[in-house]
Amino acid sequence: MQWVNTVKVAWKAIFTNKSRSLLTMLGVIIGVGSVILLTSIGTGIQKFIEQQFEDLGVNTIVVYPFQIFSESGGFQNGDDRLGEIAGQQFSEREVQDIARLSSQIVAVMPESSQRSDVAWRNTSEVGTIVGTSEEYEIVRNTKAEKGRFFTEQEAKSGQRVAVLGNTIAEEVFGDVDPVNKDVRIGETTFTVVGVAEKKGGGFGGPGFDRYVMIPLDAYFRMFDTRDVNSMSIKVRSKEDINDVISLVENYLEEESNRDADDFDVFDQTEILNTINQILGVLTLGLGGIAAISLVVGGIGIMNIMLVSVTERTREIGLRKALGATPNQILFQFLIESSLLSFIGGAIGVGLAALLSMALVVFADFPSAITLDAIALAFGVSFVVGIVFGVAPARKASRLSPIEALRSE
């Protein structure tokens, strides 16, 4: 059990100089903690976005009159889309035709939007005015927190009724209940019939809680347009998604005479997968930057271990004189450097776990530490301890016992 005694000696050497050992481990603590925390934040962001998509409704297909995705699979540059958008909007007839394509389609929600002032009495805020149909509630999986959504009759007749997003309602009306109050949108007065539940998000655009939903015909009259910016289609089940996508694509190409490059039809999982790919690369990059701290920590361990070899020259000489082999001396110093790195890694994991819990408790952010991240951080820190401990250990193992004993 010679190796057990070697571990005990290494352990004692570390705790003999507690302050120096702690300072030596600091780089590893920061490195491991940073890697795990950044990874947990990245995982939390992915969970948050997935939840946002679920909240917005499952089994949903989105149709745009331009290409959303580039040939490489990512999102197309906004500047590249500007020329495509003009003159390629959808018409009401296309929305109605698509709604009748198949019994697999539950609802089709047209959507057009512009920004405008939303005012009540002396309070005015800028919101996103969304012209849509009564299907918004079904397709977007959104309920009214106060009041109700506008009805099919109100939508078809283009009545001047509005459903406010949660945030815009709070900013404009404060503590006053907006339901049945008149609100000015631009220069037009609308009656508030409801306030939507809080949804958050926006995915690069305005947050859904700043939306003001009004009937599409009322939107057309207000902004002097007949264009529909996009459509969202609710289908019966996930199994129907591909069939409906094919039907919509065929209709737009054959009946509407649109080129395949002039529109995009996709389900929300495509956006989610693209966003997750981007977040995965970003998290990996940030984790790599944080991992530089581990290298710095490893250099610190190597420096301290070299100092330790110098300070303990007589001890090494005495052990060799009593029969310790060069391999045993090498093993002892490798164990010391590995223990320093391992203990530092454990402290880093503990600190990262505390910070991650703090994000969950105090910021309501779904930060989550994965076992893979812990295993990776521990593994890297352990390897760092061995790699940067080799030079000091070899130096110690090669000392001549006679010269070591003569050392002052």
Side-chain angles (χ1 to χ4, degrees):
M1 302 296 286
Q2 180 65 40
W3 68 273
V4 176
N5 292 328
T6 305
V7 171
K8 288 181 179 179
V9 170
W11 187 268
K12 183 178 180 181
I14 290 172
F15 279 88
T16 299
N17 298 288
K18 296 184 183 66
S19 298
R20 187 171 72 179
S21 297
L22 181 61
L23 291 173
T24 304
M25 293 184 288
L26 194 57
V28 176
I29 293 171
I30 294 172
V32 170
S34 299
V35 169
I36 292 180
L37 187 60
L38 286 171
T39 304
S40 70
I41 290 174
T43 303
I45 293 173
Q46 288 179 332
K47 285 186 175 182
F48 174 77
I49 291 176
E50 287 171 3
Q51 185 60 51
Q52 288 284 302
F53 272 94
E54 288 181 11
D55 289 345
L56 290 175
V58 294
N59 307 333
T60 303
I61 296 169
V62 184
V63 189
Y64 278 103
F66 52 85
Q67 289 287 314
I68 286 289
F69 299 101
S70 65
E71 293 181 0
S72 61
F75 292 115
Q76 194 172 174
N77 186 289
D79 294 335
D80 296 337
R81 296 202 309 261
L82 292 177
E84 302 175 19
I85 296 173
Q88 293 185 10
Q89 308 293 345
F90 297 121
S91 67
E92 290 179 89
R93 180 184 62 80
E94 288 175 312
V95 175
Q96 293 164 2
D97 287 348
I98 287 174
R100 293 191 291 264
L101 282 178
S102 170
S103 60
Q104 296 166 304
I105 296 174
V106 175
V108 178
M109 181 199 81
E111 189 172 337
S112 291
S113 63
Q114 291 192 39
R115 291 172 68 78
S116 180
D117 291 334
V118 181
W120 180 69
R121 293 183 178 175
N122 296 322
T123 304
S124 178
E125 295 289 341
V126 176
T128 301
I129 315 305
V130 178
T132 186
S133 68
E134 75 283 356
E135 309 284 16
Y136 187 98
E137 186 176 9
I138 299 172
V139 177
R140 282 278 186 259
N141 191 30
T142 301
K143 295 181 175 61
E145 185 176 280
K146 297 177 182 177
R148 59 177 176 83
F149 270 78
F150 45 80
T151 64
E152 181 180 1
Q153 182 60 38
E154 289 170 331
K156 285 183 176 179
S157 60
Q159 292 187 30
R160 291 186 296 184
V161 292
V163 178
L164 304 182
N166 209 278
T167 299
I168 195 74
E170 185 177 317
E171 290 177 350
V172 173
F173 285 90
D175 296 330
V176 177
D177 186 351
V179 178
N180 296 325
K181 302 287 192 305
D182 288 339
V183 65
R184 292 190 313 279
I185 301 175
E187 300 300 324
T188 308
T189 301
F190 284 76
T191 299
V192 178
V193 295
V195 176
E197 64 182 348
K198 203 170 190 65
K199 300 296 284 188
F203 309 111
F208 298 108
D209 294 328
R210 299 193 65 82
Y211 277 9
V212 177
M213 285 72 73
I214 62 175
L216 190 61
D217 277 345
Y219 176 93
F220 286 159
R221 291 197 304 271
M222 181 177 173
F223 293 104
D224 191 23
T225 181
R226 302 299 297 180
D227 291 336
V228 176
N229 299 155
S230 67
M231 289 180 270
S232 295
I233 304 169
K234 180 90 167 184
V235 299
R236 288 184 312 188
S237 66
K238 288 182 179 180
E239 289 71 27
D240 296 325
I241 286 176
N242 290 332
D243 289 342
V244 174
I245 287 177
S246 296
L247 287 171
V248 174
E249 288 176 339
N250 290 336
Y251 167 81
L252 291 174
E253 288 182 31
E254 297 174 8
E255 302 296 329
S256 293
N257 296 317
R258 293 176 181 264
D259 291 333
D261 293 336
D262 290 343
F263 62 87
D264 220 340
V265 185
F266 54 91
D267 68 304
Q268 294 193 135
T269 57
E270 289 187 53
I271 296 182
L272 182 59
N273 291 337
T274 301
I275 291 174
N276 281 339
Q277 287 176 7
I278 294 170
L279 286 175
V281 173
L282 182 62
T283 302
L284 186 63
L286 291 173
I289 293 171
I292 294 174
S293 300
L294 284 171
V295 178
V296 175
I299 294 171
I301 289 174
M302 182 173 64
N303 288 337
I304 293 301
M305 292 304 297
L306 285 170
V307 171
S308 180
V309 169
T310 303
E311 289 178 347
R312 295 158 62 188
T313 301
R314 287 178 63 83
E315 174 195 329
I316 294 168
L318 182 60
R319 291 196 65 198
K320 280 196 166 186
L322 293 174
T325 64
N327 284 340
Q328 288 174 336
I329 300 296
L330 177 72
F331 184 63
Q332 177 189 337
F333 280 86
L334 277 179
I335 287 293
E336 284 187 33
S337 62
S338 299
L339 278 174
L340 281 170
S341 188
F342 189 80
I343 295 169
I347 295 172
V349 169
L351 289 175
L354 289 174
L355 290 172
S356 181
M357 288 173 60
L359 287 174
V360 174
V361 174
F362 298 108
D364 196 25
F365 179 78
S367 177
I369 293 179
T370 63
L371 290 176
D372 289 343
I374 293 175
L376 178 63
F378 260 128
V380 171
S381 65
F382 190 71
V383 169
V384 163
I386 293 176
V387 169
F388 286 95
V390 166
R394 288 185 65 188
K395 180 181 177 181
S397 67
R398 291 177 177 179
L399 286 176
S400 166
I402 297 174
E403 292 179 3
L405 287 170
R406 287 176 179 173
S407 176
E408 294 294 334

